[in-house]
Amino acid sequence: MPKTSKAEKEQSNAAKDGLLGIFKTAIGPAAPRLAVKRGGGGGDRGTVNCKFIGIITAVRDDKVTGRSGQTIPKTRLNISGIVPIGNNAQDIIDCGIPGETVLLPSVQIDDPSTAEDDKGGFKVKKRALQVSAMQNVAKLNDVSISFYNTGKGADGKEGPTAASTATVGMEIEVSGVCANPVGSSIYINASKVTPVGSAPEAHNTAKFVMEYCMRPEQQKQAAFNCSRAADGFFDTTGFNPAQEHQARVCQTMWKTTAEGTADRLAVMAQ
């Protein structure tokens, strides 16, 4: 953690007490189970999942065992440089600093009444948030997600998914994002990959990745991450004016992380 003065420590402790106080208040009626559309997009905040933009850094074959014991091929994508899209989702805590966004875990509700609609298609999947006083969360930073190789397109026909043809260096939008708890672990899941523009040719992959990392969101995340090794640059002893200016920028980002997270939790607790 960044070094702080005595006054700053007292202020930090007050902020911590405020956060914990959110969960120490009297417990009201149980929250309703909320339906979550896997693809996200509009509507009530309790019926959507968030999305994110990212760049693929690795692709490998994966598989899962189906209900009948059959092997179903999948593609696992490692995705970095994530820029979250809140999409008015209920489970996302975005403090405003790239790389510091987290998701509260949620579980799918077993409700046979919503299994199929009158056309034989799948209805909205219901998910319920998992929240406790000292709740573990999933960080939406570098992620590794497995996607099915085939699925139904917008026309309702079965065909290859974008994930099955994804390549390293491709910029993608990932939708239907949620944090799924399994035992003591939490995994980031998603339902769909959509390419953003064209995939770079093999000989241009490194150049494309470098250009992606030079974007403002990625540079901000890089500056924040570098400040970790210097305890957030809260100690500016021996700094010249230019260095002090840069240090204050990093200090502001650390404060934004704490305050943005606290504000979001306060809203969620209402």
Side-chain angles (χ1 to χ4, degrees):
M1 293 297 293
K3 295 178 180 178
T4 58
S5 65
K6 181 178 180 181
E8 289 173 326
K9 286 182 179 178
E10 291 177 351
Q11 183 179 6
S12 176
N13 289 336
K16 179 180 178 181
D17 292 341
L19 281 173
L20 294 178
I22 294 173
F23 301 101
K24 293 179 180 178
T25 55
I27 299 176
R33 290 180 170 181
L34 302 175
V36 179
K37 292 181 180 178
R38 295 185 62 193
D44 189 306
R45 68 186 309 165
T47 63
V48 296
N49 283 350
C50 70
K51 305 178 180 181
F52 65 76
I53 298 293
I55 191 168
I56 299 173
T57 55
V59 180
R60 66 181 175 85
D61 293 335
D62 203 356
K63 60 183 179 180
V64 65
T65 302
R67 293 181 179 179
S68 302
Q70 77 278 27
T71 298
I72 302 175
K74 301 182 72 176
T75 298
R76 179 168 292 277
L77 306 179
N78 289 2
I79 309 166
S80 299
I82 289 175
V83 179
I85 302 173
N87 207 29
N88 210 30
Q90 63 170 348
D91 57 350
I92 187 171
I93 301 175
D94 186 357
C95 66
I97 301 299
E100 298 304 303
T101 300
V102 299
L103 294 179
L104 286 170
S106 62
V107 295
Q108 187 170 311
I109 301 170
D110 186 12
D111 186 355
S113 67
T114 62
E116 293 185 356
D117 56 26
D118 54 7
K119 296 180 181 180
F122 287 103
K123 282 187 176 181
V124 171
K125 300 292 184 181
K126 291 185 177 180
R127 300 187 68 87
L129 289 180
Q130 303 294 289
V131 182
S132 62
M134 298 301 291
Q135 177 66 56
N136 289 330
V137 296
K139 196 167 187 179
L140 197 58
N141 198 338
D142 292 347
V143 299
S144 179
I145 306 176
S146 186
F147 297 90
Y148 287 103
N149 290 340
T150 59
K152 289 185 178 181
D155 57 2
K157 296 181 179 180
E158 195 82 12
T161 63
S164 66
T165 57
T167 59
V168 172
M170 178 184 289
E171 183 179 355
I172 56 174
E173 178 185 274
V174 180
S175 56
V177 182
C178 63
N180 187 43
V182 179
S184 60
S185 301
I186 303 176
Y187 298 93
I188 298 291
N189 289 342
S191 60
K192 184 180 179 181
V193 167
T194 303
V196 178
S198 302
E201 296 181 6
H203 65 279
N204 278 331
T205 299
K207 178 182 178 182
F208 185 86
V209 172
M210 290 176 65
E211 290 176 347
Y212 183 89
C213 291
M214 291 173 65
R215 296 180 184 180
E217 300 93 342
Q218 307 308 319
Q219 289 295 295
K220 188 175 184 179
Q221 181 177 351
F224 183 81
N225 287 338
C226 287
S227 75
R228 296 177 190 274
D231 292 328
F233 287 113
F234 278 80
D235 183 358
T236 58
T237 303
F239 281 24
N240 61 39
Q243 292 170 332
E244 287 183 357
H245 172 74
Q246 296 176 46
R248 284 195 294 272
V249 172
C250 290
Q251 293 170 17
T252 298
M253 287 194 287
W254 279 98
K255 293 175 182 177
T256 298
T257 300
E259 294 170 359
T261 300
D263 289 345
R264 173 61 175 153
L265 288 174
V267 170
M268 296 176 74
Q270 293 176 358

mmCIF file with all atom_site columns, all heavy atoms in Angstrom, residues 41-53:
data_model
loop_
_atom_site.group_PDB
_atom_site.id
_atom_site.type_symbol
_atom_site.label_atom_id
_atom_site.label_alt_id
_atom_site.label_comp_id
_atom_site.label_asym_id
_atom_site.label_entity_id
_atom_site.label_seq_id
_atom_site.pdbx_PDB_ins_code
_atom_site.Cartn_x
_atom_site.Cartn_y
_atom_site.Cartn_z
_atom_site.occupancy
_atom_site.B_iso_or_equiv
_atom_site.pdbx_formal_charge
_atom_site.auth_seq_id
_atom_site.auth_comp_id
_atom_site.auth_asym_id
_atom_site.auth_atom_id
_atom_site.pdbx_PDB_model_num
ATOM 1  N N   . GLY A 1 41 ? -27.034 -5.388  -22.803 1.00 0.00 ? 41 GLY A N   1
ATOM 2  C CA  . GLY A 1 41 ? -27.579 -4.406  -23.723 1.00 0.00 ? 41 GLY A CA  1
ATOM 3  C C   . GLY A 1 41 ? -28.899 -3.841  -23.291 1.00 0.00 ? 41 GLY A C   1
ATOM 4  O O   . GLY A 1 41 ? -29.944 -4.407  -23.525 1.00 0.00 ? 41 GLY A O   1
ATOM 5  N N   . GLY A 1 42 ? -28.857 -2.660  -22.626 1.00 0.00 ? 42 GLY A N   1
ATOM 6  C CA  . GLY A 1 42 ? -30.077 -1.918  -22.313 1.00 0.00 ? 42 GLY A CA  1
ATOM 7  C C   . GLY A 1 42 ? -30.918 -2.530  -21.232 1.00 0.00 ? 42 GLY A C   1
ATOM 8  O O   . GLY A 1 42 ? -30.591 -3.539  -20.635 1.00 0.00 ? 42 GLY A O   1
ATOM 9  N N   . GLY A 1 43 ? -32.064 -1.861  -20.967 1.00 0.00 ? 43 GLY A N   1
ATOM 10 C CA  . GLY A 1 43 ? -33.022 -2.387  -20.011 1.00 0.00 ? 43 GLY A CA  1
ATOM 11 C C   . GLY A 1 43 ? -32.647 -2.136  -18.574 1.00 0.00 ? 43 GLY A C   1
ATOM 12 O O   . GLY A 1 43 ? -31.746 -1.369  -18.253 1.00 0.00 ? 43 GLY A O   1
ATOM 13 N N   . ASP A 1 44 ? -33.368 -2.778  -17.660 1.00 0.00 ? 44 ASP A N   1
ATOM 14 C CA  . ASP A 1 44 ? -33.141 -2.663  -16.231 1.00 0.00 ? 44 ASP A CA  1
ATOM 15 C C   . ASP A 1 44 ? -31.730 -3.112  -15.898 1.00 0.00 ? 44 ASP A C   1
ATOM 16 O O   . ASP A 1 44 ? -31.220 -4.081  -16.445 1.00 0.00 ? 44 ASP A O   1
ATOM 17 C CB  . ASP A 1 44 ? -34.170 -3.537  -15.510 1.00 0.00 ? 44 ASP A CB  1
ATOM 18 C CG  . ASP A 1 44 ? -34.163 -3.313  -14.021 1.00 0.00 ? 44 ASP A CG  1
ATOM 19 O OD1 . ASP A 1 44 ? -33.080 -3.420  -13.418 1.00 0.00 ? 44 ASP A OD1 1
ATOM 20 O OD2 . ASP A 1 44 ? -35.246 -3.041  -13.471 1.00 0.00 ? 44 ASP A OD2 1
ATOM 21 N N   . ARG A 1 45 ? -31.070 -2.400  -14.942 1.00 0.00 ? 45 ARG A N   1
ATOM 22 C CA  . ARG A 1 45 ? -29.694 -2.739  -14.599 1.00 0.00 ? 45 ARG A CA  1
ATOM 23 C C   . ARG A 1 45 ? -29.580 -4.148  -14.024 1.00 0.00 ? 45 ARG A C   1
ATOM 24 O O   . ARG A 1 45 ? -28.495 -4.729  -14.007 1.00 0.00 ? 45 ARG A O   1
ATOM 25 C CB  . ARG A 1 45 ? -29.137 -1.715  -13.612 1.00 0.00 ? 45 ARG A CB  1
ATOM 26 C CG  . ARG A 1 45 ? -29.777 -1.761  -12.236 1.00 0.00 ? 45 ARG A CG  1
ATOM 27 C CD  . ARG A 1 45 ? -29.272 -0.634  -11.376 1.00 0.00 ? 45 ARG A CD  1
ATOM 28 N NE  . ARG A 1 45 ? -27.828 -0.591  -11.374 1.00 0.00 ? 45 ARG A NE  1
ATOM 29 C CZ  . ARG A 1 45 ? -27.132 0.462   -10.946 1.00 0.00 ? 45 ARG A CZ  1
ATOM 30 N NH1 . ARG A 1 45 ? -27.765 1.533   -10.529 1.00 0.00 ? 45 ARG A NH1 1
ATOM 31 N NH2 . ARG A 1 45 ? -25.817 0.436   -10.934 1.00 0.00 ? 45 ARG A NH2 1
ATOM 32 N N   . GLY A 1 46 ? -30.687 -4.704  -13.520 1.00 0.00 ? 46 GLY A N   1
ATOM 33 C CA  . GLY A 1 46 ? -30.656 -6.052  -12.986 1.00 0.00 ? 46 GLY A CA  1
ATOM 34 C C   . GLY A 1 46 ? -30.830 -7.117  -14.049 1.00 0.00 ? 46 GLY A C   1
ATOM 35 O O   . GLY A 1 46 ? -30.854 -8.303  -13.740 1.00 0.00 ? 46 GLY A O   1
ATOM 36 N N   . THR A 1 47 ? -30.991 -6.712  -15.297 1.00 0.00 ? 47 THR A N   1
ATOM 37 C CA  . THR A 1 47 ? -31.224 -7.690  -16.364 1.00 0.00 ? 47 THR A CA  1
ATOM 38 C C   . THR A 1 47 ? -30.146 -7.653  -17.439 1.00 0.00 ? 47 THR A C   1
ATOM 39 O O   . THR A 1 47 ? -30.364 -8.113  -18.553 1.00 0.00 ? 47 THR A O   1
ATOM 40 C CB  . THR A 1 47 ? -32.595 -7.444  -17.026 1.00 0.00 ? 47 THR A CB  1
ATOM 41 O OG1 . THR A 1 47 ? -32.586 -6.149  -17.648 1.00 0.00 ? 47 THR A OG1 1
ATOM 42 C CG2 . THR A 1 47 ? -33.714 -7.520  -16.008 1.00 0.00 ? 47 THR A CG2 1
ATOM 43 N N   . VAL A 1 48 ? -28.981 -7.106  -17.131 1.00 0.00 ? 48 VAL A N   1
ATOM 44 C CA  . VAL A 1 48 ? -27.904 -7.044  -18.128 1.00 0.00 ? 48 VAL A CA  1
ATOM 45 C C   . VAL A 1 48 ? -26.568 -7.439  -17.511 1.00 0.00 ? 48 VAL A C   1
ATOM 46 O O   . VAL A 1 48 ? -26.385 -7.390  -16.297 1.00 0.00 ? 48 VAL A O   1
ATOM 47 C CB  . VAL A 1 48 ? -27.762 -5.633  -18.741 1.00 0.00 ? 48 VAL A CB  1
ATOM 48 C CG1 . VAL A 1 48 ? -28.990 -5.247  -19.515 1.00 0.00 ? 48 VAL A CG1 1
ATOM 49 C CG2 . VAL A 1 48 ? -27.475 -4.599  -17.656 1.00 0.00 ? 48 VAL A CG2 1
ATOM 50 N N   . ASN A 1 49 ? -25.657 -7.827  -18.349 1.00 0.00 ? 49 ASN A N   1
ATOM 51 C CA  . ASN A 1 49 ? -24.272 -8.079  -17.952 1.00 0.00 ? 49 ASN A CA  1
ATOM 52 C C   . ASN A 1 49 ? -23.384 -7.023  -18.596 1.00 0.00 ? 49 ASN A C   1
ATOM 53 O O   . ASN A 1 49 ? -23.752 -6.413  -19.605 1.00 0.00 ? 49 ASN A O   1
ATOM 54 C CB  . ASN A 1 49 ? -23.816 -9.466  -18.407 1.00 0.00 ? 49 ASN A CB  1
ATOM 55 C CG  . ASN A 1 49 ? -24.352 -10.571 -17.523 1.00 0.00 ? 49 ASN A CG  1
ATOM 56 O OD1 . ASN A 1 49 ? -24.913 -10.310 -16.461 1.00 0.00 ? 49 ASN A OD1 1
ATOM 57 N ND2 . ASN A 1 49 ? -24.181 -11.797 -17.960 1.00 0.00 ? 49 ASN A ND2 1
ATOM 58 N N   . CYS A 1 50 ? -22.213 -6.824  -18.031 1.00 0.00 ? 50 CYS A N   1
ATOM 59 C CA  . CYS A 1 50 ? -21.299 -5.840  -18.600 1.00 0.00 ? 50 CYS A CA  1
ATOM 60 C C   . CYS A 1 50 ? -20.569 -6.419  -19.810 1.00 0.00 ? 50 CYS A C   1
ATOM 61 O O   . CYS A 1 50 ? -20.685 -7.607  -20.138 1.00 0.00 ? 50 CYS A O   1
ATOM 62 C CB  . CYS A 1 50 ? -20.302 -5.368  -17.542 1.00 0.00 ? 50 CYS A CB  1
ATOM 63 S SG  . CYS A 1 50 ? -19.087 -6.616  -17.044 1.00 0.00 ? 50 CYS A SG  1
ATOM 64 N N   . LYS A 1 51 ? -19.813 -5.570  -20.472 1.00 0.00 ? 51 LYS A N   1
ATOM 65 C CA  . LYS A 1 51 ? -18.992 -5.954  -21.611 1.00 0.00 ? 51 LYS A CA  1
ATOM 66 C C   . LYS A 1 51 ? -17.587 -5.404  -21.381 1.00 0.00 ? 51 LYS A C   1
ATOM 67 O O   . LYS A 1 51 ? -17.347 -4.661  -20.439 1.00 0.00 ? 51 LYS A O   1
ATOM 68 C CB  . LYS A 1 51 ? -19.543 -5.363  -22.915 1.00 0.00 ? 51 LYS A CB  1
ATOM 69 C CG  . LYS A 1 51 ? -20.992 -5.676  -23.219 1.00 0.00 ? 51 LYS A CG  1
ATOM 70 C CD  . LYS A 1 51 ? -21.413 -4.976  -24.509 1.00 0.00 ? 51 LYS A CD  1
ATOM 71 C CE  . LYS A 1 51 ? -22.859 -5.244  -24.862 1.00 0.00 ? 51 LYS A CE  1
ATOM 72 N NZ  . LYS A 1 51 ? -23.252 -4.577  -26.140 1.00 0.00 ? 51 LYS A NZ  1
ATOM 73 N N   . PHE A 1 52 ? -16.670 -5.751  -22.270 1.00 0.00 ? 52 PHE A N   1
ATOM 74 C CA  . PHE A 1 52 ? -15.374 -5.081  -22.247 1.00 0.00 ? 52 PHE A CA  1
ATOM 75 C C   . PHE A 1 52 ? -14.700 -5.213  -23.604 1.00 0.00 ? 52 PHE A C   1
ATOM 76 O O   . PHE A 1 52 ? -15.008 -6.102  -24.392 1.00 0.00 ? 52 PHE A O   1
ATOM 77 C CB  . PHE A 1 52 ? -14.463 -5.620  -21.131 1.00 0.00 ? 52 PHE A CB  1
ATOM 78 C CG  . PHE A 1 52 ? -14.031 -7.054  -21.263 1.00 0.00 ? 52 PHE A CG  1
ATOM 79 C CD1 . PHE A 1 52 ? -13.045 -7.428  -22.173 1.00 0.00 ? 52 PHE A CD1 1
ATOM 80 C CD2 . PHE A 1 52 ? -14.577 -8.043  -20.449 1.00 0.00 ? 52 PHE A CD2 1
ATOM 81 C CE1 . PHE A 1 52 ? -12.629 -8.749  -22.283 1.00 0.00 ? 52 PHE A CE1 1
ATOM 82 C CE2 . PHE A 1 52 ? -14.170 -9.366  -20.545 1.00 0.00 ? 52 PHE A CE2 1
ATOM 83 C CZ  . PHE A 1 52 ? -13.192 -9.713  -21.462 1.00 0.00 ? 52 PHE A CZ  1
ATOM 84 N N   . ILE A 1 53 ? -13.786 -4.269  -23.846 1.00 0.00 ? 53 ILE A N   1
ATOM 85 C CA  . ILE A 1 53 ? -12.940 -4.288  -25.029 1.00 0.00 ? 53 ILE A CA  1
ATOM 86 C C   . ILE A 1 53 ? -11.561 -4.768  -24.582 1.00 0.00 ? 53 ILE A C   1
ATOM 87 O O   . ILE A 1 53 ? -11.083 -4.416  -23.505 1.00 0.00 ? 53 ILE A O   1
ATOM 88 C CB  . ILE A 1 53 ? -12.816 -2.896  -25.654 1.00 0.00 ? 53 ILE A CB  1
ATOM 89 C CG1 . ILE A 1 53 ? -14.173 -2.372  -26.115 1.00 0.00 ? 53 ILE A CG1 1
ATOM 90 C CG2 . ILE A 1 53 ? -11.830 -2.912  -26.827 1.00 0.00 ? 53 ILE A CG2 1
ATOM 91 C CD1 . ILE A 1 53 ? -14.775 -3.128  -27.264 1.00 0.00 ? 53 ILE A CD1 1
#
